[in-house]
Amino acid sequence: MSLLSANADDQAIVVRATFHVGEDVKLEGVDGACAPTQPTTPVSSDCAEHSHHPALMGSLEPPLDHPEDFANFSPGPTSLPAAVEAEIAGRFASQRLSSMAMSHRSPEFSRILDDARDSLRRVMQIPAGYEVLFMHGGGHGQFAAVPLNLCADRSEVATYVVSGTWSQRACAEATKYCDVHVVDKSGPDHRSFPELVEGDIAPGSKYVYVCSNETVNGVELHRLPKLPGAHRGRGPLV
């Protein structure tokens, strides 16, 4: 089995791992040679043939000359279990309509939507007084939705803790809708999450934004940070 991994900046590291029971894992570069971490990095003649490998150009499609199974461990969408893929393929091959082909106003799809909503309420213990919204736009859509919902106009202040790529993007989007106060103490490479002190949080902040999982930079919070004493309870931690 081979493992293929690429990051969100269209830069990739491809590692071939050969597994044998009772033996150490053998790690090699692409095709047993070397795998430059950036497509723009000059490579030696020995590695020239690999400088345009699809994965190094941001592609996650397994090379045609390697028929073995590949697993995608990149951030975001990943591989589905084989049984799930087989069930989905089987539904496309049957005479019945799949959810991708039926009307979103049909009673069949309404049952799918109701089941998804009920499952979310049960698993996440969402109280009856709160509605569940299914919205397009992904994370970038929420970067705008947060200030649009929590700040009445562009003069209101929000504090953004920048610890990597995603919080940088959220911060940039928020500047369109509110007055952003930036806390960035983790350096240009963003390898850690800063400890928040009293002076970091702007007075009157409508909320404090943090990114709990910076997948590009490898910074993850297993516990949300506690706001300095004077700011607790004054605005939400988003």
Side-chain angles (χ1 to χ4, degrees), residues 88-111:
I88 294 173
R91 293 192 179 189
F92 276 101
S94 71
Q95 297 300 314
R96 303 174 61 186
L97 287 175
S98 72
S99 60
M100 298 182 68
M102 65 179 60
S103 169
H104 62 281
R105 297 184 179 90
S106 66
E108 291 83 4
F109 185 78
S110 293
R111 288 196 292 270

Side-chain angles (χ1 to χ4, degrees), residues 21-92:
V21 177
E23 297 181 7
D24 294 333
V25 175
K26 180 183 179 183
L27 297 180
E28 303 172 347
V30 179
D31 293 339
C34 49
T37 58
Q38 299 183 25
T40 55
T41 302
V43 295
S44 65
S45 58
D46 293 337
C47 298
E49 62 179 294
H50 307 298
S51 61
H52 297 295
H53 189 281
L56 297 182
M57 306 306 292
S59 173
L60 293 180
E61 184 71 22
L64 295 177
D65 57 343
H66 295 292
E68 70 268 38
D69 291 337
F70 275 76
N72 171 24
F73 288 90
S74 301
T78 186
S79 305
L80 290 174
V84 176
E85 291 183 343
E87 181 178 349
I88 294 173
R91 293 192 179 189
F92 276 101

Side-chain angles (χ1 to χ4, degrees), residues 4-7 9-14 35-39 53-60:
L4 189 151
S5 178
N7 67 27
D9 291 328
D10 291 336
Q11 301 171 356
I13 301 175
V14 181
T37 58
Q38 299 183 25
H53 189 281
L56 297 182
M57 306 306 292
S59 173
L60 293 180

